[in-house]
Amino acid sequence: MSARAERVTEAYLAGCAAPDGPLRHAREHLELSEAQRRSWPRLLPRPIMVDEAEYRAFGRDLVTVFDLVTSLPRRVFGGDFARFRTALGIDDRHAGFMARLLGEGPPPLYGRADVYYDGSAFKLLEYNIGSALGGLDMVGALPKAYLRVPAVAEFAEAHGLGYLDMGSDLAAALRNAGKTIGAGEPVVAVLESPGGLATYGRQRRSAAELLRDNGLECRAGEISDLEFRGGKPYLDGLGVDVILRYYGLEEMLGHPDCDALLEPVFRAHEEGKVVVWTPSNVYGNKGTLAMLSEHVAEFTVDERAAVGRVLPWCRMLGRPGAGPDAGRIEECMARQDRLVFKPTGLYGGQGVVIGREVDAKTWRETLDAGSRTGSLVQEIVRPNLETVIDPDTGARSEWYALWAAFMTPSGLSGGGIRAIPPGGTTVITMSNNASVRNTCLFTC
């Protein structure tokens, strides 16, 4: 991290040293709504500091990577979307739904980059391009909650801290989306798949609250809650202008009423009665980053430089229906301690295997199976450590940090951290690791 960010961090930690220090207990004094408390049950005891100039420079590179990823069908596959999705291992049924709302041009800039800081630079691990972004409610609201704590506000003033306002940027993006269908001040629906609120209701209601706090009329629901009048969707009696889509394709394809639920939404979008934000997650497939790494020589000098700065070496290992790639497997066996294996179509850390955390037999079996099902291998980036002081005991500990950089049409729009203490796996995911803690970023 930059010298400035390190100095500010050390100053904050110094303020946490005394047992009764107000910074040490700032987390306890956060004024959070019930929805926010339920959505963020496990918070790290402090925020993380980042050099604003360094972070924004990384954000500009993320815009370049987004533009490259969304131009892959045109630039690498001659405009043939079928060849592009086949190379990613996406079957006909999935592709039919993905392509339905894509339109002629690329999707709007929107996504979450999962990132490690390797001690000298930010490195991109995954780019979640699509609308189902976990954590946006926290990065949009938690900095403001911290600044309502007097000790934190005083520290922020003394050290010139700021934050990126995800809530404001997302609300502006959704307003602009609504204008494309003539909605002056749009009604937004944050929609899950059928039954999805039982699992993710806390997060979706918190996201809806974030948008309401930024002046939008917003409701959380499930796609099966929609009613259609004259082809326009309604939720809770309100005509919906913009759908912030959290219903995933896998969940929908597994539902017996998939087509009946999706078709009226498709038609409403096509007829200009609603805007689905965003229409498809095809570009969020992990294989797109491997494609960038494999085809980097075909890009411009500036594009190659941006990819080189932020993207670790990665390669496709295989796709569904293909036989084992013997040459690639042997290469990966030789580099086992430096690689991570990732299924291309899964999320939330599912199926991820760190080479150095398993024996050679397990690693080979993983690679062999991955050659048939669709996967990639990527050079490991070692995450940076963030020091945390336990509010109760005063003990200092080091936590691995996974950074989340959120992008909207205005560019870099917010950031957060998921962190775990060293020991055990370094796969940092909220879904299967109870040690993970969240927090927000302050720029300095």
Side-chain angles (χ1 to χ4, degrees):
M1 197 57 60
S2 74
R4 174 167 174 73
E6 289 178 355
R7 287 196 302 271
V8 176
T9 298
E10 285 304 318
Y12 194 96
L13 292 171
C16 297
D20 58 351
L23 288 180
R24 179 161 160 177
H25 299 281
R27 182 182 61 181
E28 302 166 24
H29 298 289
L30 293 172
E31 296 178 1
L32 304 175
S33 70
E34 180 62 24
Q36 291 167 342
R37 290 191 180 279
R38 290 175 62 83
S39 183
W40 323 327
R42 307 196 302 260
L43 291 176
L44 206 65
R46 71 168 179 89
I48 301 298
M49 315 304 170
V50 62
D51 185 294
E52 182 169 4
E54 183 179 20
Y55 197 45
R56 288 194 180 278
F58 176 63
R60 290 190 290 273
D61 282 340
L62 287 179
V63 172
T64 298
V65 171
F66 181 96
D67 290 342
L68 287 173
V69 165
T70 56
S71 70
L72 282 170
R74 173 177 56 85
R75 298 179 65 171
V76 176
F77 295 92
D80 189 336
F81 181 80
R83 284 179 56 215
F84 167 67
R85 59 90 169 173
T86 300
L88 290 173
I90 297 172
D91 63 34
D92 292 347
R93 180 158 169 75
H94 283 73
F97 283 106
M98 287 179 169
R100 182 73 184 271
L101 303 179
L102 277 176
E104 295 299 322
L109 174 59
Y110 191 63
R112 188 194 72 222
D114 290 344
V115 179
Y116 279 158
Y117 190 82
D118 69 358
S120 61
F122 292 103
K123 296 296 183 181
L124 176 61
L125 307 180
E126 296 180 12
Y127 211 156
N128 302 279
I129 296 173
S131 57
L133 305 181
L136 69 86
D137 56 314
M138 183 194 72
V139 306
L142 192 56
K144 297 178 182 180
Y146 262 112
L147 290 176
R148 290 193 292 268
V149 178
V152 178
E154 182 179 341
F155 182 89
E157 177 69 21
H159 294 274
L161 300 189
Y163 63 93
L164 304 179
D165 196 345
M166 178 65 183
S168 176
D169 287 349
L170 177 56
L174 298 180
R175 283 190 175 94
N176 288 333
K179 289 177 183 177
T180 66
I181 61 167
E185 188 67 3
V187 173
V188 177
V190 180
L191 289 188
E192 261 291 345
S193 56
L197 289 184
T199 303
Y200 300 109
R202 298 173 300 172
Q203 293 88 342
R204 307 302 171 249
R205 294 184 182 100
S206 182
E209 183 177 274
L210 172 69
L211 293 172
R212 289 195 295 272
D213 288 345
N214 282 275
L216 287 178
E217 185 70 53
C218 187
R219 298 287 189 275
E222 298 176 356
I223 189 173
S224 49
D225 296 330
L226 293 177
E227 298 177 353
F228 288 84
R229 306 174 193 172
K232 186 173 182 63
Y234 282 73
L235 180 66
D236 296 338
L238 292 173
V240 175
D241 302 302
V242 180
I243 291 172
L244 183 56
R245 181 184 61 83
Y246 273 89
Y247 49 89
L249 185 54
E250 290 299 328
E251 292 92 342
M252 294 305 300
L253 288 175
H255 194 277
D257 298 326
C258 172
D259 289 30
L261 291 171
L262 287 178
E263 184 59 32
V265 176
F266 288 154
R267 288 200 305 269
H269 180 89
E270 292 162 349
E271 295 170 2
K273 295 176 180 178
V274 75
V275 176
V276 179
W277 184 275
T278 58
S280 172
N281 61 349
V282 61
Y283 296 107
N285 184 291
K286 295 180 179 69
T288 57
L289 295 186
M291 286 181 180
L292 288 192
S293 187
E294 292 168 356
H295 294 277
V296 67
E298 303 173 29
F299 305 141
T300 69
V301 172
D302 289 344
E303 290 167 345
R304 291 199 301 270
V307 172
R309 282 190 294 269
V310 305
L311 184 62
W313 178 94
C314 52
R315 293 291 185 271
M316 291 288 287
L317 185 62
R319 62 179 185 268
D325 185 340
R328 183 74 73 201
I329 287 175
E330 292 309 315
E331 178 185 6
C332 294
M333 288 301 300
R335 302 177 63 186
Q336 177 178 348
D337 63 340
R338 302 194 299 276
L339 297 177
V340 56
F341 167 92
K342 300 177 180 181
T344 54
L346 300 182
Y347 59 92
Q350 298 176 78
V352 173
V353 178
I354 309 294
R356 62 170 177 257
E357 295 181 0
V358 297
D359 60 35
K361 180 175 180 294
T362 301
W363 182 241
R364 182 177 289 278
E365 291 171 349
T366 299
L367 298 174
D368 183 76
S371 283
R372 296 178 171 87
T373 59
S375 60
L376 62 86
V377 286
Q378 186 179 62
E379 183 182 6
I380 287 175
V381 181
R382 189 170 182 82
N384 72 299
L385 289 168
E386 293 288 345
T387 302
V388 174
I389 293 179
D390 186 289
D392 297 323
T393 67
R396 291 171 70 104
S397 58
E398 305 292 329
W399 291 61
Y400 287 127
L402 173 65
W403 300 63
F406 288 81
M407 309 296 292
T408 69
S410 61
L412 185 64
S413 291
I417 291 284
R418 280 173 280 169
I420 58 170
T425 183
T426 54
V427 178
I428 303 176
T429 170
M430 294 296 294
S431 62
N432 59 12
N433 192 331
S435 298
V436 173
R437 298 291 182 270
N438 290 322
T439 193
C440 61
L441 299 180
F442 279 113
T443 59
C444 61

